[in-house]
Amino acid sequence: MRVGIMIEGQEGLTWDRWFRLGQAAEELGYESLCRSDHLTGLSGQSRRPSLETWTSLTALATRTRRIRFGPLVCPLTFYHPALLAKMAAAVDELSEGRFDLGIGGGWNEPEHAMFGLAFPSLTERLDRLECGARLIRALGAGQPVTLEQPYYPLRKAESHPLPPHGRLRLVVGGRGERRTLRIVAEFADEWNVTRVDVDGFRHRRQVLAEHCRAFGRDPETITRSLMVPLAIGSDSADVAQRIAAARVIFPAMPEDEGAWRAAGFLAGSPETIVADLTRWAEAGIERVLLQMLDQEDIAALELFARTAMPALA
């Protein structure tokens, strides 16, 4: 199992914190560093620092040498997909092919209302996600392409330079069985899921395989990843302290270790965390992104890297 870090960029991210996290990911052996893409704090704290997503990703491309990185995920309600494809190709080239473009349909209605952004129905947002993914793939062909579809048509369009490996690595996030997993099956290199338990993941993995068969695609060509909050500690007091720190950022998070585990989150000693992640690996998760809500807690990353990562390698 590959292990990366995921942080909520709208919840207090500063340049100093971002660069420290990038350095920690590089030096501690993490596979990747991802961040969310939002315009304001999600729990009503609109005055928290919030580095703009693509500026921060571009800076990370020049400050790191090994780790993969990217947004998890960019809502298509924020961007035209042609612009996303162009920006992603540029950052991928700058990082010598280490960039993952994560896209989603968008979900946070109050955020859209705050900034005057349209928030269509769920059906339209998923239609736009499908059309956007198709456009991104079409522009990767390296030659003029005409695409007849709603929302994002193309007329003899092309975009250069292409990414270093000829194709953007596309991550689609979500758990909807009828539409989202069908979009994953048709277009994605990686499926990222969150807020599910192991049994729910197994079920959706089977649904994804059925969609893949409809497209004549081997489901094993799609990486399966999990984003999950982490509260690790050498003892119960450490775990409780980290849960309390997470609840300062997101007060709706569960209150204690038992409630975290009941919600499907990672909480407990390194041995407990390894046992839980082993179950996820057995269910088919290939990559886990540890959601670190306290961006100052480099010590938690060090503890995980020292005690848990070797057992998962």
Side-chain angles (χ1 to χ4, degrees):
M1 176 181 282
R2 302 189 301 279
V3 182
I5 303 164
M6 190 274 175
I7 62 107
E8 295 289 340
Q10 74 283 350
E11 307 294 345
L13 187 63
T14 62
W15 285 117
D16 184 57
R17 286 174 173 173
W18 186 231
F19 292 148
R20 281 208 311 273
L21 287 162
Q23 181 178 358
E26 290 257 300
E27 294 179 352
L28 295 173
Y30 288 91
E31 181 253 6
S32 53
L33 173 59
C34 297
R35 58 154 296 171
S36 59
D37 187 0
H38 289 286
L39 299 175
T40 187
L42 300 184
S43 59
Q45 298 293 332
S46 59
R47 294 195 175 186
R48 284 177 178 158
S50 176
L51 287 185
E52 190 277 323
T53 299
W54 283 88
T55 309
S56 69
L57 294 172
T58 303
L60 196 67
T62 67
R63 301 275 298 220
T64 58
R65 294 291 178 266
R66 181 188 60 78
I67 57 170
R68 300 198 65 82
F69 64 99
L72 200 66
V73 291
C74 288
L76 287 194
T77 48
F78 289 5
Y79 308 94
H80 192 289
L83 179 61
L84 272 183
K86 192 73 174 176
M87 294 189 298
V91 176
D92 198 36
E93 182 179 22
L94 187 63
S95 67
E96 299 181 330
R98 295 183 288 118
F99 185 75
D100 298 328
L101 174 58
I103 61 173
W107 63 271
N108 189 266
E109 186 173 7
E111 174 181 37
H112 289 74
M114 178 183 287
F115 291 96
L117 297 172
F119 189 74
S121 67
L122 177 59
T123 296
E124 181 177 331
R125 280 179 280 136
L126 291 173
D127 287 344
R128 287 179 177 272
L129 178 60
E130 179 179 344
C131 292
R134 183 176 294 111
L135 180 147
I136 290 167
R137 285 293 181 232
L139 286 180
Q143 57 191 12
V145 59
T146 295
L147 187 61
E148 300 291 350
Q149 64 173 6
Y151 306 115
Y152 311 121
L154 295 176
R155 300 287 185 269
K156 297 182 179 179
E158 53 187 322
S159 183
H160 295 277
L162 296 176
H165 301 297
R167 171 185 168 104
L168 283 174
R169 190 168 186 280
L170 192 62
V171 181
V172 173
R175 58 191 177 189
E177 297 177 24
R178 188 175 66 87
R179 292 293 309 278
T180 303
L181 291 182
R182 185 178 183 276
I183 295 167
V184 170
E186 187 171 4
F187 300 111
D189 297 296
E190 179 172 331
W191 166 43
N192 180 262
V193 67
T194 189
R195 301 302 195 269
V196 296
D197 58 20
V198 172
D199 289 339
F201 167 74
R202 286 195 180 101
H203 169 71
R204 287 172 174 81
R205 182 182 177 186
Q206 181 58 42
V207 172
L208 176 60
E210 293 167 2
H211 285 305
C212 284
R213 279 194 288 273
F215 290 107
R217 184 175 183 187
D218 180 357
E220 293 304 309
T221 63
I222 302 172
T223 299
R224 299 173 296 271
S225 63
L226 172 73
M227 183 180 79
V228 60
L230 172 72
I232 189 172
S234 55
D235 55 35
S236 59
D238 279 350
V239 176
Q241 183 177 12
R242 289 197 162 105
I243 289 174
R247 283 173 48 80
V248 170
I249 307 300
F250 284 109
M253 294 293 286
E255 294 184 2
D256 55 37
E257 182 176 337
W260 268 53
R261 293 177 56 78
F265 301 162
L266 299 175
S269 67
E271 294 78 14
T272 298
I273 301 295
V274 168
D276 286 345
L277 287 176
T278 299
R279 283 190 286 274
W280 280 108
E282 291 169 349
I285 288 293
E286 300 165 286
R287 180 188 188 213
V288 62
L289 293 161
L290 305 174
Q291 192 175 18
M292 302 300 300
L293 300 180
D294 181 358
Q295 298 169 18
E296 290 288 325
D297 195 1
I298 302 298
L301 298 176
E302 293 171 342
L303 178 62
F304 185 97
R306 184 176 70 252
T307 61
M309 201 181 297
L312 299 167

